[in-house]
Amino acid sequence: MTQMFTSLFEKWLGMSRSHEDFRDSLFVLIAVSILSCVLLLFIYYNIAIVPNFVMASIEITGLVFCLLAYYFLWQGREVNLAANIMVSVMTSISLLLIYGTGHQEFALAFAFLTPIVSIFVLGYRVGSVFSLLNFAIVAYICVTGMDYWLPVYFDDISFIHLSAVYFFLFLTAFFYDSGRRKTMAMLKESNRQLQNLSHTDMLTQLYNRRHMEGHLKEVGRVNWVAILDIDDFKKINDEHGHDVGDRVLIKIARILSSKMDKFGHVGRWGGEEFLIAFEVAERAEVEAQIESIQSAIASYDFGIKRPVTLSCGIALHNNSVKSSTYRRADEALYQAKASGKNRYRMAAS
């Protein structure tokens, strides 16, 4: 049954239950529905049972605004606007009931609705403003009119009790909603960090293979693909240890990242291999950038008393040959290695 109603709400609101605004939209929809039902009951009461056309007119006006809130939820997906309308209607009518009837017919009980509903619906910041403003008006009505409210006697201690209960509910709602929203913000930030981690190589902080494979599939973005491999990297690990090898990878990653800032994306493809997805179209620009990278790496002092160089294979990446781009770039890399290393080769188009 719950699943069925949730599915209906999804269709009516036009958003999935996994959407970050679904919970707030659903809460506002339910609150507006309850308020509309209450207003319909009061309209019937003030027309058919105890005629009071002034109150009935006010309640009908409130119902019209509720329908407007429905419209903004359904057509414009304006959940904040709908929430503000709903809380304004609820608060206004409760104040009018208090002002018109005093403490009779439990009218003061309606004052307790605003701090709970407004904070849950509007958030603890905006809801707090509504709640405090509502209390100020209720307090004014009580202080200026308590001497004339008959037959039930309302004195100073009654007002103190009212204030205590009101602020208890207000603070409960405030700390609940502020804690909930901060928790949701922390969860959202954690999800963002996890998303970043799933696309980032932990050692070099470059994009990982998963991200680069996805990037290569984006239509019209990548024009050239270059695979770079550190020459004789195994010897570096064997002679200096894997910690030194990791530091070499990190330093090379920083050089590649700084060099590729305006030309495309660079990621760690695996082991000592890096992949560059060039977004520039001209072959001459790609060749010039690869030569600049190889020169920067070869001249950098890695502190290991031996040269560090890169070999590179480059392939055109277009729609007609996209599926074979990596294979052709890898073959060109093999040719660069075979021809003496610290070189690049272009794959045949």
Tab-separated table of all heavy atoms in Angstrom, residues 164-183:
chain	number	residue	atom	x	y	z
A	164	ALA	N	5.904	28.750	27.843
A	164	ALA	CA	6.792	27.607	28.087
A	164	ALA	C	6.504	26.477	27.110
A	164	ALA	O	7.425	25.889	26.525
A	164	ALA	CB	6.637	27.130	29.529
A	165	VAL	N	5.213	26.155	26.952
A	165	VAL	CA	4.856	25.070	26.029
A	165	VAL	C	5.216	25.437	24.600
A	165	VAL	O	5.758	24.618	23.841
A	165	VAL	CB	3.350	24.757	26.142
A	165	VAL	CG1	2.931	23.742	25.091
A	165	VAL	CG2	3.023	24.241	27.534
A	166	TYR	N	4.939	26.687	24.234
A	166	TYR	CA	5.219	27.131	22.862
A	166	TYR	C	6.707	26.994	22.549
A	166	TYR	O	7.096	26.421	21.524
A	166	TYR	CB	4.764	28.585	22.689
A	166	TYR	CG	4.820	29.068	21.265
A	166	TYR	CD1	3.683	29.037	20.461
A	166	TYR	CD2	6.007	29.548	20.718
A	166	TYR	CE1	3.732	29.477	19.153
A	166	TYR	CE2	6.064	29.990	19.405
A	166	TYR	CZ	4.920	29.948	18.624
A	166	TYR	OH	4.974	30.375	17.325
A	167	PHE	N	7.559	27.526	23.432
A	167	PHE	CA	8.990	27.497	23.153
A	167	PHE	C	9.579	26.094	23.292
A	167	PHE	O	10.584	25.778	22.659
A	167	PHE	CB	9.734	28.492	24.055
A	167	PHE	CG	9.694	29.880	23.526
A	167	PHE	CD1	8.833	30.820	24.057
A	167	PHE	CD2	10.502	30.255	22.461
A	167	PHE	CE1	8.781	32.108	23.553
A	167	PHE	CE2	10.461	31.540	21.951
A	167	PHE	CZ	9.605	32.475	22.496
A	168	PHE	N	8.946	25.253	24.088
A	168	PHE	CA	9.389	23.853	24.139
A	168	PHE	C	9.196	23.194	22.768
A	168	PHE	O	10.101	22.546	22.236
A	168	PHE	CB	8.610	23.091	25.208
A	168	PHE	CG	8.908	21.616	25.220
A	168	PHE	CD1	10.034	21.128	25.851
A	168	PHE	CD2	8.060	20.717	24.578
A	168	PHE	CE1	10.314	19.773	25.858
A	168	PHE	CE2	8.336	19.362	24.573
A	168	PHE	CZ	9.461	18.880	25.216
A	169	LEU	N	8.009	23.387	22.196
A	169	LEU	CA	7.753	22.827	20.869
A	169	LEU	C	8.636	23.472	19.808
A	169	LEU	O	9.151	22.807	18.907
A	169	LEU	CB	6.276	23.017	20.510
A	169	LEU	CG	5.271	22.220	21.346
A	169	LEU	CD1	3.849	22.622	20.979
A	169	LEU	CD2	5.470	20.727	21.142
A	170	PHE	N	8.815	24.768	19.940
A	170	PHE	CA	9.659	25.497	18.991
A	170	PHE	C	11.089	24.973	19.011
A	170	PHE	O	11.683	24.674	17.968
A	170	PHE	CB	9.623	26.991	19.317
A	170	PHE	CG	10.715	27.781	18.653
A	170	PHE	CD1	10.695	28.022	17.293
A	170	PHE	CD2	11.772	28.280	19.397
A	170	PHE	CE1	11.704	28.747	16.685
A	170	PHE	CE2	12.779	29.009	18.803
A	170	PHE	CZ	12.756	29.240	17.438
A	171	LEU	N	11.675	24.840	20.206
A	171	LEU	CA	13.060	24.381	20.305
A	171	LEU	C	13.210	22.928	19.876
A	171	LEU	O	14.209	22.558	19.255
A	171	LEU	CB	13.575	24.573	21.738
A	171	LEU	CG	13.747	26.028	22.183
A	171	LEU	CD1	14.107	26.087	23.665
A	171	LEU	CD2	14.817	26.723	21.351
A	172	THR	N	12.216	22.106	20.205
A	172	THR	CA	12.259	20.716	19.765
A	172	THR	C	12.299	20.635	18.245
A	172	THR	O	13.123	19.915	17.664
A	172	THR	CB	11.030	19.954	20.298
A	172	THR	OG1	11.035	19.999	21.732
A	172	THR	CG2	11.057	18.500	19.834
A	173	ALA	N	11.409	21.373	17.615
A	173	ALA	CA	11.371	21.374	16.153
A	173	ALA	C	12.646	21.963	15.565
A	173	ALA	O	13.191	21.459	14.577
A	173	ALA	CB	10.153	22.166	15.668
A	174	PHE	N	13.153	23.030	16.206
A	174	PHE	CA	14.349	23.710	15.696
A	174	PHE	C	15.547	22.772	15.705
A	174	PHE	O	16.239	22.601	14.690
A	174	PHE	CB	14.640	24.950	16.544
A	174	PHE	CG	15.874	25.686	16.115
A	174	PHE	CD1	15.811	26.691	15.165
A	174	PHE	CD2	17.112	25.383	16.664
A	174	PHE	CE1	16.956	27.370	14.762
A	174	PHE	CE2	18.256	26.051	16.278
A	174	PHE	CZ	18.180	27.046	15.328
A	175	PHE	N	15.823	22.150	16.846
A	175	PHE	CA	17.010	21.307	16.941
A	175	PHE	C	16.858	20.018	16.137
A	175	PHE	O	17.831	19.493	15.597
A	175	PHE	CB	17.330	21.001	18.401
A	175	PHE	CG	17.917	22.172	19.124
A	175	PHE	CD1	17.218	22.810	20.135
A	175	PHE	CD2	19.167	22.665	18.777
A	175	PHE	CE1	17.755	23.913	20.791
A	175	PHE	CE2	19.702	23.760	19.426
A	175	PHE	CZ	19.004	24.384	20.438
A	176	TYR	N	15.630	19.513	16.045
A	176	TYR	CA	15.418	18.331	15.207
A	176	TYR	C	15.725	18.648	13.752
A	176	TYR	O	16.471	17.934	13.070
A	176	TYR	CB	13.978	17.827	15.327
A	176	TYR	CG	13.603	16.842	14.254
A	176	TYR	CD1	13.965	15.505	14.369
A	176	TYR	CD2	12.916	17.251	13.109
A	176	TYR	CE1	13.645	14.602	13.365
A	176	TYR	CE2	12.600	16.352	12.105
A	176	TYR	CZ	12.966	15.029	12.246
A	176	TYR	OH	12.663	14.140	11.250
A	177	ASP	N	15.137	19.741	13.241
A	177	ASP	CA	15.307	20.034	11.825
A	177	ASP	C	16.721	20.494	11.509
A	177	ASP	O	17.270	20.131	10.462
A	177	ASP	CB	14.312	21.108	11.384
A	177	ASP	CG	14.265	21.249	9.877
A	177	ASP	OD1	13.727	20.321	9.220
A	177	ASP	OD2	14.783	22.247	9.349
A	178	SER	N	17.323	21.295	12.387
A	178	SER	CA	18.699	21.734	12.119
A	178	SER	C	19.642	20.536	12.097
A	178	SER	O	20.523	20.434	11.238
A	178	SER	CB	19.155	22.751	13.174
A	178	SER	OG	19.146	22.176	14.470
A	179	GLY	N	19.442	19.595	13.047
A	179	GLY	CA	20.283	18.400	13.062
A	179	GLY	C	20.056	17.540	11.834
A	179	GLY	O	21.008	17.013	11.243
A	180	ARG	N	18.782	17.405	11.431
A	180	ARG	CA	18.470	16.596	10.251
A	180	ARG	C	19.095	17.189	9.002
A	180	ARG	O	19.700	16.473	8.191
A	180	ARG	CB	16.954	16.496	10.081
A	180	ARG	CG	16.514	15.694	8.869
A	180	ARG	CD	15.003	15.707	8.717
A	180	ARG	NE	14.505	17.024	8.373
A	180	ARG	CZ	14.454	17.492	7.116
A	180	ARG	NH1	14.900	16.767	6.125
A	180	ARG	NH2	13.963	18.690	6.881
A	181	ARG	N	18.965	18.496	8.838
A	181	ARG	CA	19.489	19.132	7.632
A	181	ARG	C	21.015	19.112	7.607
A	181	ARG	O	21.632	18.960	6.543
A	181	ARG	CB	18.958	20.561	7.508
A	181	ARG	CG	17.480	20.591	7.176
A	181	ARG	CD	16.910	21.988	7.115
A	181	ARG	NE	15.480	21.954	6.871
A	181	ARG	CZ	14.917	21.984	5.656
A	181	ARG	NH1	15.681	22.033	4.581
A	181	ARG	NH2	13.613	21.943	5.523
A	182	LYS	N	21.651	19.276	8.760
A	182	LYS	CA	23.104	19.194	8.792
A	182	LYS	C	23.578	17.776	8.486
A	182	LYS	O	24.591	17.577	7.802
A	182	LYS	CB	23.611	19.646	10.159
A	182	LYS	CG	23.491	21.149	10.384
A	182	LYS	CD	23.877	21.549	11.796
A	182	LYS	CE	23.685	23.047	12.006
A	182	LYS	NZ	23.965	23.451	13.414
A	183	THR	N	22.826	16.788	8.999
A	183	THR	CA	23.161	15.398	8.689
A	183	THR	C	23.019	15.128	7.195
A	183	THR	O	23.875	14.469	6.585
A	183	THR	CB	22.251	14.442	9.479
A	183	THR	OG1	22.431	14.677	10.881
A	183	THR	CG2	22.583	12.995	9.172
